[in-house]
Amino acid sequence: MYTLQDYSIFAVVANVLYFATTWKLFQKAGRKAWEALIPVYNILATLKIIHRPWWWIIIVFIPIVGWIMAAIILVDFVRHFGRRSFLDAVLAFFFSFVFLAYLNYSPQTQYTGKEARKETLISAVLYAVIFATIIHAFIIQPFTIPTGSMERTLLVGDFLFVSKLNYGVRIPMTPAALPFLQNKIFFFGGSSPQNQPDSYINDIRLPYMRLPGWEKVERYDIVVFNYPPDSLHAAIDRKDPYVKRCVGVPGDKIQIINNNLYINGQPEKISPDEEQQRRYKVFTNEIGIGNDRVMQLFGYTPYGEVIPSEDSNKREYIFEGLTKENVAKLKANLNTVDSIVQIVTPKGITEVTHFDYSQKIDTTNSIFPINSGWNHCQYGPLTLPKKGDIIQLTPQNIEQYKKIIKVYEHNDLKINGNQFYINDVPANTYTFKQNYYWMMGDNRDNSLDSRYFGYVPEDHIIGKPVFTWFSLQGAFENDRYGHPAERKIRWDRMFRIPNNGVSLSEKTNYGWIILVLLVVFFGYDYFRGKKKGEKE
């Protein structure tokens, strides 16, 4: 990864090359030669030469879209010296300084001045890409729910808009990247992400910076963040995005007893729009439960396993996810149900991994911290690190803080017996440099969350879901239990605001406002075009 010194050297070299290859072109355009040498000012002077607005310079310095705007300016610049073919545009883009030097020192090159511009498809697409990328990177990002870890609050196939303004815009840390792609160019390299090329240049990085927002991450917010243990991507902003509920903020003490969450010694508060799911065992008579009847009741099939019972007159079912309301529905509507019992892993039983408890320990999916003796139903207590807090380092707690010290806060940590060395200096305390959060899924028994990957650093926070604009059941080939999923639009979930403490049945549908805005926009565009045509 390049240092600030490397960037400074690159900027100086690029500026000198720009001066060496354009100073005569500046003179031919009626400017002074020295104007091509002064950093930043030379871009403003170039915009004057090509008769473009001064504020374009702002876009040049915006990460991700800056290189696109720079290319547009450069192509426009050579067009003002009579080089207007497609080949000239390609040469200006891919061989910038060589082509500029040729034009600069060629006696045949003349400044042709401002031309009558005609909007082309390419220019229209480029401007649209710049505008959309700025919105995507700094304001609103679309996000799809691909897994069931937040059900039934958020469903697989919900399409959300995530606001980056609420918690403050995080400046992209990998500025040299293709627009709209999170981390991989998915149409190359097959279906495996390991074989797909990165959509960004990993070595070009900016430090973590966040603009002020109008709110902080609050306890019980639904939050989108970068998955901390993503092994494919070292750049924070290129790690896969996850969505969970923030159940703990810096300084909170988290504990789970019999699968019930306690925060600072108090039971968690359940929001009206939070539909937690738990794992249950359902006992029935010999008739059992039919798929069709369950689909009728819930609109989905929440059980994934049928257990043979020792009693031939009984049947047992494992329901992977039921809300309290759905438990009551089962009891009230199915006379074949004898009893329903929540499945709780007892204290003292250690779970190895989230996916398969029989596997060898996997540090990505094992209960955090390793060797704690906890499981997902009996967990903690554990206190969340807060910026500026000082903790005593001991052999007993080092597993909790090792990743923070080494990975999230970029220190060299060595352990020699009971002695710790941070950046080669003996240390028995550590001061946290940023805040940390605790994220959990509302589908409590089927969620890869902080119980497995630990703390979520502040610099991993992306934003807050603010709008559900579409919802498609069966958006993915199968549901989360491998059953073929019926495809249908969930109209009752669309055009509503998640994360606002209002139950689904009472949420306001804003579809009519969107419809009115679309009618106004297209009506205005139609009459403006008609008026323009009459003038011409």
Side-chain angles (χ1 to χ4, degrees), residues 513-523:
I513 296 178
I514 296 171
L515 183 62
V516 169
L517 290 174
L518 288 173
V519 169
V520 169
F521 172 78
F522 286 114

Side-chain angles (χ1 to χ4, degrees), residues 394-459:
T394 68
Q396 290 73 37
N397 69 12
I398 191 61
E399 284 296 334
Q400 285 189 38
Y401 305 119
K402 185 191 294 183
K403 197 166 187 179
I404 288 179
I405 296 170
K406 292 179 66 174
V407 179
Y408 301 147
E409 302 195 354
H410 314 294
N411 296 289
D412 177 40
L413 173 67
K414 293 185 177 70
I415 303 172
N416 186 5
N418 292 337
Q419 181 63 58
F420 305 101
Y421 297 86
I422 298 177
N423 301 322
D424 295 324
V425 177
N428 54 18
T429 63
Y430 185 75
T431 304
F432 297 113
K433 298 175 184 175
Q434 62 175 322
N435 290 315
Y436 293 84
Y437 300 86
W438 199 256
M439 306 292 181
M440 291 179 66
D442 288 353
N443 190 355
R444 287 295 164 81
D445 297 309
N446 191 22
S447 172
L448 179 59
D449 54 35
S450 284
R451 290 170 291 182
Y452 300 92
F453 55 71
Y455 313 107
V456 174
E458 180 182 313
D459 59 11

Side-chain angles (χ1 to χ4, degrees), residues 207-368:
Y208 167 65
M209 295 178 285
R210 189 182 292 273
L211 301 178
W214 56 71
E215 63 177 307
K216 294 181 179 179
V217 178
E218 300 287 349
R219 199 181 295 121
Y220 309 122
D221 278 356
I222 299 175
V223 178
V224 176
F225 58 94
N226 295 107
Y227 178 50
D230 186 342
S231 59
L232 286 182
H233 307 283
I236 293 170
D237 60 334
R238 295 298 163 176
K239 294 180 178 182
D240 285 338
Y242 268 42
V243 59
K244 307 286 180 190
R245 189 177 297 276
C246 176
V247 298
V249 296
D252 281 351
K253 185 170 77 172
I254 298 293
Q255 187 169 17
I256 301 172
I257 303 172
N258 295 327
N259 214 8
N260 296 311
L261 175 64
Y262 294 84
I263 304 166
N264 300 324
Q266 300 297 316
E268 67 173 318
K269 295 178 182 177
I270 306 297
S271 172
D273 62 347
E274 178 179 351
E275 298 187 47
Q276 280 193 16
Q277 288 194 158
R278 305 298 177 104
R279 204 164 178 247
Y280 290 89
K281 185 177 282 190
V282 178
F283 300 88
T284 74
N285 59 32
E286 72 277 6
I287 298 174
I289 298 173
N291 260 358
D292 294 342
R293 187 69 180 118
V294 173
M295 280 294 290
Q296 244 182 353
L297 274 178
F298 304 140
Y300 68 106
T301 309
Y303 66 82
E305 189 178 357
V306 182
I307 301 176
S309 176
E310 294 178 3
D311 187 344
S312 60
N313 295 321
K314 302 287 183 183
R315 290 193 180 184
E316 297 177 18
Y317 298 81
I318 300 294
F319 275 71
E320 293 294 340
L322 285 178
T323 63
K324 287 182 179 179
E325 292 75 13
N326 284 346
V327 169
K329 273 186 182 180
L330 272 180
K331 289 178 179 177
N333 292 280
L334 296 182
N335 54 17
T336 59
V337 172
D338 291 338
S339 61
I340 302 177
V341 178
Q342 186 180 340
I343 299 172
V344 176
T345 305
K347 192 173 183 178
I349 294 181
T350 303
E351 296 170 356
V352 177
T353 70
H354 169 68
F355 297 109
D356 180 354
Y357 302 159
S358 66
Q359 292 178 5
K360 294 179 181 179
I361 288 179
D362 176 349
T363 54
T364 301
N365 300 314
S366 61
I367 286 289
F368 170 85

Side-chain angles (χ1 to χ4, degrees), residues 3-20:
T3 65
L4 182 61
Q5 184 179 7
D6 294 327
Y7 292 130
S8 301
I9 293 171
F10 174 79
V12 169
V13 170
N15 202 77
V16 170
L17 283 174
Y18 188 70
F19 169 72

